[in-house]
Amino acid sequence: MQGYSLVFVAAILWSLIGVFSRGILDTGLGATEIAFWRALLAGGMFLVHGAFTGSLKLLHRRDGVALAGFALVGVTLFYTSLIFAIETGGISLAFLLLYSAPALVAILAWLLLGERLTRLKVVLVGLALIGITLIARNGGTGVTVTFTSVAWGLCSGLSYASYYIFGKWILDRYSPITVYAFVLPLGATGLLPLVDFSPKPTKAWLLLIALAIASTYLAYLLYFTGLKRVEASRAVLVATVEPVVAATLALAFFGERLGPMGLAGGGLILVAAVVSTWDRSSPRPHPSERRDP
């Protein structure tokens, strides 16, 4: 039971990404700068953690190239696109579209890894696509559904899907501490040329630190610790509470409310995400294979 509790707390911390990011955006910082500081600050914590535990060694030099590629997609692109999705469409929309990732994983695994596209996978992809279409046709209070906001949301889902594809290989070779100690600073470096740094009030710094500590470093550690005690597939089901909590917090703090069709579409996406864990032929999330939104 303790393992599920840890995974649940990690999901709650990830759901706070929307509130923290929205608060920082309101202080005037841009999405790329928020993503940069999140990756840099959390990466520094993992570097210190890795140094104390002796987890900073790579088995082969070529693994560094693979980690750099993953950093560009799983951190530089993922962190930025999620915040842009929050900025342009709202927290609820961003987090529901984020969970299109399992459907995207099925397609990518078929195209890139040669994995079989089963009937169940086709049905789940179809459900997710219907859900996305319903969301795109109906916004709501505080939720802006445009081509741009949906595109950024799907981009975050696509880059999040890289954790499943890439993680099948890299997280069998290295601990999560090692992976994030490398990819987070590398991802921040990839963002550096895109960042237009601006003066930051105390509120912005406090929220950036909270985003890095609570919703990145601590959330990862809790999730990985919990996964040592429970099955990965069941842990993913518990973590699916993330977009639900994120939407609830968006309503409470910012008055966001999806319309009826948007709620129905979000429900279909979450159903597809949950049922995808039942398909034994699907790419299974490794016990340490989880992003931080």
Side-chain angles (χ1 to χ4, degrees):
M1 195 65 189
Q2 183 183 15
Y4 291 115
S5 298
L6 292 174
V7 171
F8 180 79
V9 173
I12 299 299
L13 292 176
W14 279 317
S15 70
L16 287 170
I17 291 172
V19 174
F20 291 149
S21 298
R22 182 75 264 173
I24 301 168
L25 286 166
D26 289 344
T27 68
L29 268 69
T32 53
E33 185 173 2
I34 296 171
F36 170 81
W37 286 113
R38 179 190 178 191
L40 186 67
L41 294 173
M45 296 174 206
F46 277 110
L47 279 170
V48 172
H49 191 150
F52 274 104
T53 57
S55 304
L56 298 181
K57 295 180 180 179
L58 294 182
L59 299 175
H60 302 286
R61 290 184 180 180
R62 64 176 180 272
D63 290 347
V65 177
L67 286 168
F70 179 49
L72 289 175
V73 178
V75 178
T76 302
L77 180 59
F78 173 52
Y79 281 20
T80 305
S81 59
L82 180 59
I83 298 173
F84 270 127
I86 292 170
E87 181 180 31
T88 57
I91 298 169
S92 305
L93 179 69
F95 274 80
L96 285 173
L97 292 178
L98 174 66
Y99 268 72
S100 64
L104 296 173
V105 166
I107 297 173
L108 290 174
W110 173 54
L111 293 174
L112 301 178
L113 304 179
E115 296 192 2
R116 191 163 58 93
L117 196 61
T118 64
R119 290 182 180 178
L120 177 58
K121 289 179 183 178
V122 172
V123 170
L124 295 180
V125 170
L127 283 178
L129 290 176
I130 294 171
I132 292 168
T133 301
L134 289 175
I135 289 176
R137 292 176 61 86
N138 182 254
T141 305
V143 178
T144 305
V145 179
T146 63
F147 175 82
T148 301
S149 62
V150 172
W152 279 121
L154 293 177
C155 184
S156 69
L158 183 62
S159 50
Y160 172 29
S162 69
Y163 281 74
Y164 291 82
I165 302 298
F166 183 80
K168 286 170 70 68
W169 173 73
I170 198 64
L171 287 169
D172 279 333
R173 299 166 64 84
Y174 298 103
S175 73
I177 303 301
T178 305
V179 173
Y180 289 116
F182 280 97
V183 300
L184 288 175
L186 287 172
T189 303
L191 281 163
L192 191 56
L194 306 175
V195 178
D196 183 15
F197 291 100
S198 60
K200 287 168 279 297
T202 302
K203 177 184 177 182
W205 278 118
L206 291 175
L207 289 172
L208 283 169
I209 292 170
L211 180 63
I213 295 177
S215 296
T216 310
Y217 175 74
L218 184 58
Y220 282 147
L221 291 183
L222 289 175
Y223 188 81
F224 301 147
T225 303
L227 279 174
K228 294 178 181 178
R229 298 173 171 83
V230 299
E231 294 181 9
S233 59
R234 293 183 179 180
V236 171
L237 293 178
V238 175
T240 308
V241 72
E242 179 186 341
V244 178
V245 175
T248 303
L249 292 174
L251 173 63
F253 285 94
F254 304 105
E256 287 188 17
R257 188 191 302 272
L258 282 167
M261 289 179 67
L263 289 173
L268 289 178
I269 292 174
L270 293 182
V271 167
V274 169
V275 177
S276 68
T277 66
W278 303 346
D279 186 0
R280 295 185 179 276
S281 64
S282 296
R284 289 288 184 183
H286 186 275
S288 19
E289 194 176 310
R290 166 73 175 173
R291 65 125 180 102
D292 87 299

